[in-house]
């Protein structure tokens, strides 16, 4: 067995070293070599351990370390370095290390290691998603992903919301759109049949089951006892949309609140989004600044992402009805690809026109036609629209979908029947309207859509470690 001597040393993370700058102290760092430059007398290594975007410069005295070890210090190799921390004379960093000892944990063959010093395209990096966390861009995205998850939990906790775990395997379709992945242990080569077709009594759960598209329905049950709850879990959609904004497996944050009307719901959504944007700017400015420069297109300033985040923070979200939006989109005479008419489901081009061109700030659209929204939304007195709300963001389009819920048992049942949903599957959901029904509201925030906005990335496959999309479940 190979023993690693360095593991006996106390490791300091590079983030901590950069913060504390403990000059003239001996420290041990561990990480991966980003770059190496060899000089006659000295060699320079940039070491990164993922704790922060910055690396630590190691200045190696070529006479101290033998030739055999120096040869193995290549890009991608994993090492431990122990040495004195000194003030750096370089412009790029304040401190550097002069290692007196280096141990190699894992070598990396420079001829076959796919991540070279040159910039790689995001498309290429997607093909090697198992190595992406080693790059600056993806480690930044992943740190921000962590930060947003952390702050979302913090936000709800300090407001007195309780985190509920809703099931991943379900027998009901929350959105009623039929875009669900089936869960079965039936032998696909020998499917049991009865007079109605497939005999699901022989299946694991004794009935058809699917991966959930949303935790909302169960979230509503919990809110009917705890008042204010939220879920934060994976959701699955078998929609065949191969776009830059859709995943087959994505994460959703779904708060559900008793005694909230649509206005309260909109206020909460706006407060949540502003809160997490502020947190990212306060705590992760280094990553944001890097991503801003990386994602800037030719016509954009280097700080375009930071500017966009500030627009969200500093402006109240515009709130208009769907009907008003249709009016604006018709009046503007913009040549949209998809036609605009009352009753049409808005496309991303329409949403982005409203946000980016017309209002130049986030927009919340309310009161959609009931035909294009889910069965559970509260029906307005006009008989045509429901108390829905979609929050639209610059560069993204819809980031949140939500509504006030129909708490009236008769109206809800009638809607389930009109839409020919399998009524028997919803008995428990309908029960909440029979026993102590409360006016209530909630919404779903797509976690990866939020991350698209926060990181400035333009393809949703680049904000989740291992994306699941049609015909792609690698890694
Ligand atoms: O508008 P949606 O379908 O709403 C619901 O699922 C409700 N049950 C939520 C609720 O009221 N509790 O989805 C909510 C959000 C969207 O606004 C979008 O941000 C995200 O989930 N989303 C997706 N994100 C990535 N890939 C997909 N295929 C997505 N579909 C929806």
């Amino acid at each position: 067995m190979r023993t690693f001597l360095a593991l006996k040393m106390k490791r300091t993370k590079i983030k901590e070293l950069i913060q504390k700058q403990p000059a003239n102290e001996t420290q041990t760092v561990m990480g991966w070599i980003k770059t190496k430059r060899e000089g006659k007398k000295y060699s320079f290594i940039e070491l990164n351990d993922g704790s922060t975007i910055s690396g630590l410069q190691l200045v190696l005295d070529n006479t101290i370390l033998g030739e055999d070890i120096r040869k193995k210090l290549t890009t991608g190799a994993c090492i431990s370095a122990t040495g004195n921390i000194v003030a750096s004379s370089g412009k790029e960093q304040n401190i550097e290390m002069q290692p007196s000892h280096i141990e190699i944990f894992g070598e990396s063959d420079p001829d076959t290691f796919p991540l070279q010093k040159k910039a790689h395209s995001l498309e290429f990096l997607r093909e090697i998603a198992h190595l992406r966390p080693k790059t600056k861009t993806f480690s930044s995205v992943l740190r921000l992903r962590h930060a947003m998850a952390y702050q979302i939990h913090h936000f709800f906790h300090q407001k007195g919301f309780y985190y509920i775990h809703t099931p991943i395997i379900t027998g009901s379709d929350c959105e009623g759109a039929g875009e669900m992945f089936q869960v079965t242990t039936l032998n696909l080569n020998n499917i049991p049949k009865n007079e109605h077709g497939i005999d699901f009594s022989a299946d694991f759960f004794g009935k058809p089951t699917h991966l959930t598209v949303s935790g909302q329905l169960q979230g509503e049950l919990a809110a009917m006892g705890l008042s204010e709850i939220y879920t934060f879990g994976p959701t699955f959609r078998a929609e065949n949309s191969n776009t830059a904004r859709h995943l087959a497996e994505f994460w959703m944050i779904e708060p559900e609140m008793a005694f909230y009307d649509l206005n309260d719901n909109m206020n909460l959504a706006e407060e949540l989004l502003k809160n997490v944007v502020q947190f990212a700017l306060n705590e992760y400015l280094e990553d944001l600044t890097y991503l801003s420069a990386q994602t800037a297109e030719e016509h954009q300033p280097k700080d375009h992402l930071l500017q966009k985040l500030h627009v969200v923070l500093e402006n109240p979200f515009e709130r208009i009805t769907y009907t008003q939006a249709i009016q604006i989109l018709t009046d503007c005479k913009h040549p949209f690809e998809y036609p605009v008419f009352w009753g049409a489901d808005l496309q991303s081009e329409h949403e982005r026109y409203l946000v980016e061109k017309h209002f130049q700030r986030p927009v919340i659209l309310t009161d959609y036609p009931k035909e294009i929204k889910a069965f559970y939304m509260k029906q307005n007195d006009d008989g045509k629209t429901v108390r829905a709300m979609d929050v639209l963001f610059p560069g993204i389009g819809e980031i949140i979908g939500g509504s006030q819920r129909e708490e009236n048992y008769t109206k809800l049942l009638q809607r389930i029947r009109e839409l020919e949903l399998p009524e028997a599957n919803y008995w428990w959901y309908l029960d909440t309207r029979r026993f102590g029904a409360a006016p209530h509201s909630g919404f779903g925030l797509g976690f990866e859509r939020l991350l698209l906005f926060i990181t400035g990335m333009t393809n949703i496959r680049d904000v989740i470690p291992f994306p699941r999309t049609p015909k792609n479940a690698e890694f």
Side-chain angles (χ1 to χ4, degrees):
M1 190 182 75
R2 186 176 161 197
T3 46
F4 295 109
L5 295 175
L7 292 184
K8 303 254 180 294
M9 319 279 271
K10 184 183 167 294
R11 168 195 173 212
T12 305
K13 291 192 189 183
I14 292 175
K15 181 175 182 176
E16 194 186 324
L17 280 186
I18 291 173
Q19 272 165 0
K20 295 197 177 147
Q21 307 203 358
N24 303 319
E25 276 181 23
T26 300
Q27 298 280 349
T28 296
V29 290
M30 299 177 191
W32 294 267
I33 297 177
K34 286 269 151 203
T35 56
K36 182 184 166 196
R37 194 160 45 84
E38 286 217 40
K40 243 199 172 121
K41 216 162 162 274
Y42 295 101
S43 303
F44 302 87
I45 281 178
E46 190 196 339
L47 194 74
N48 186 276
D49 65 3
S51 58
T52 174
I53 194 165
S54 309
L56 181 69
Q57 171 152 280
L58 312 182
V59 184
L60 306 172
D61 184 335
N62 293 345
T63 55
I64 295 183
L65 292 172
E67 172 74 20
D68 51 334
I69 230 188
R70 274 192 289 129
K71 269 209 316 245
K72 294 178 180 166
L73 299 177
T74 55
T75 299
C78 182
I79 64 166
S80 145
T82 302
N84 211 18
I85 301 291
V86 296
S88 172
S89 50
K91 280 198 286 307
E92 307 263 310
Q93 63 277 320
N94 292 328
I95 53 165
E96 58 195 29
M97 177 186 272
Q98 295 172 338
S100 50
H101 185 76
I102 284 201
E103 184 170 359
I104 297 178
F105 290 139
E107 293 174 37
S108 174
D109 178 359
D111 294 331
T112 52
F113 184 52
L115 293 170
Q116 298 302 327
K117 200 179 169 193
K118 70 178 171 79
H120 297 288
S121 75
L122 294 171
E123 289 78 9
F124 170 70
L125 292 177
R126 244 171 259 152
E127 289 166 19
I128 50 164
H130 58 305
L131 300 174
R132 285 197 303 187
K134 294 177 182 293
T135 65
K136 267 191 166 181
T137 299
F138 283 92
S139 64
S140 279
V141 167
L142 292 179
R143 276 187 294 273
L144 283 160
R145 193 175 163 105
H146 156 80
M148 292 298 93
Y150 167 82
Q151 183 60 13
I152 286 165
H153 283 298
H154 179 74
F155 173 85
F156 284 121
H157 175 74
Q158 51 91 25
K159 288 186 89 68
F161 282 56
Y162 295 108
Y163 178 31
I164 299 295
H165 295 98
T166 49
I168 288 176
I169 299 174
T170 173
S172 57
D173 181 357
C174 173
E175 294 305 298
E179 292 168 332
M180 305 181 86
F181 288 102
Q182 186 137 8
V183 175
T184 181
T185 53
L186 292 179
N187 179 353
L188 298 185
N189 292 316
N190 185 17
I191 298 174
K193 298 269 172 67
N194 58 20
E195 67 274 22
H196 307 295
I198 297 172
D199 178 12
F200 282 104
S201 69
D203 204 349
F204 190 91
F205 296 103
K207 63 175 192 174
T209 50
H210 300 89
L211 293 179
T212 189
V213 294
S214 157
Q216 176 195 328
L217 301 189
Q218 291 88 353
E220 283 187 55
L221 312 184
M224 291 302 107
L226 294 160
S227 293
E228 291 166 322
I229 64 92
Y230 69 104
T231 72
F232 188 162
T235 49
F236 308 86
R237 298 204 181 173
E239 50 188 334
N240 207 357
S241 333
N242 224 337
T243 79
R245 302 183 320 135
H246 289 90
L247 290 165
E249 176 182 289
F250 63 99
W251 289 67
M252 193 165 20
I253 297 98
E254 296 184 272
E256 196 65 41
M257 299 75 64
F259 321 121
Y260 274 51
D261 66 10
L262 192 69
N263 245 335
D264 302 321
N265 207 20
M266 287 193 279
N267 290 343
L268 181 73
E270 184 166 343
E271 190 187 341
L272 169 66
L273 290 166
K274 287 184 167 163
N275 181 285
V276 297
V277 168
Q278 183 72 69
F279 181 76
L281 283 165
N282 288 352
E283 305 286 329
Y284 287 79
L285 191 57
E286 221 186 346
D287 286 310
L288 290 177
T289 308
Y290 176 76
L291 288 172
S292 192
Q294 285 298 108
T295 55
E297 287 167 15
E298 252 167 45
H299 62 279
Q300 289 175 320
K302 289 266 174 275
D303 67 345
H304 78 112
L305 175 60
L306 303 176
Q307 287 181 18
K308 207 175 64 167
L309 296 176
H310 278 284
V311 166
V312 165
L313 268 190
E314 285 149 24
N315 291 291
F317 295 4
E318 192 71 36
R319 300 177 184 192
I320 58 166
T321 64
Y322 167 91
T323 303
Q324 288 168 317
I326 292 292
Q327 195 64 51
I328 293 169
L329 293 169
T330 327
D331 291 349
C332 75
K333 305 275 180 271
H334 187 85
F336 293 116
E337 191 184 338
Y338 291 89
V340 180
F341 56 92
W342 200 95
D345 208 353
L346 294 184
Q347 302 295 323
S348 150
E349 58 170 342
H350 307 132
E351 296 172 343
R352 293 185 57 178
Y353 179 88
L354 291 168
V355 174
E356 289 159 31
K357 296 254 164 32
H358 192 83
F359 290 112
Q360 298 182 351
R361 62 176 69 182
V363 177
I364 310 184
L365 293 190
T366 63
D367 301 287
Y368 281 72
K370 66 177 181 189
E371 280 74 23
I372 56 171
K373 289 291 178 190
F375 72 96
Y376 50 71
M377 297 192 178
K378 187 171 173 63
Q379 297 163 36
N380 279 320
D381 292 338
D382 62 10
K384 292 193 303 193
T385 58
V386 286
R387 293 299 267 161
M389 64 170 218
D390 280 4
V391 181
L392 315 180
F393 254 40
I396 313 285
E398 183 194 328
I399 194 166
I400 280 180
S403 73
Q404 187 166 339
R405 316 306 189 190
E406 183 55 79
E407 77 281 353
N408 181 296
Y409 177 82
T410 316
K411 285 189 181 172
L412 184 62
L413 183 60
Q414 187 195 342
R415 194 73 190 123
I416 288 178
R417 289 185 177 157
E418 272 170 19
L419 292 168
E420 296 178 10
L421 297 173
E423 193 179 318
N425 288 356
Y426 296 98
W427 68 269
W428 44 270
Y429 184 67
L430 283 159
D431 258 8
T432 56
R433 277 58 173 177
R434 293 173 61 215
F435 307 117
H440 66 290
S441 300
F443 61 81
L445 165 63
F447 190 48
E448 286 74 21
R449 298 256 175 108
L450 171 69
L451 283 167
L452 278 178
F453 181 72
I454 298 280
T455 62
M457 304 301 275
T458 49
N459 192 314
I460 200 159
R461 293 165 181 80
D462 297 334
V463 294
I464 188 163
F466 304 105
R468 299 301 181 234
T469 50
K471 303 275 177 287
N472 175 34
E474 195 62 51
F475 309 110

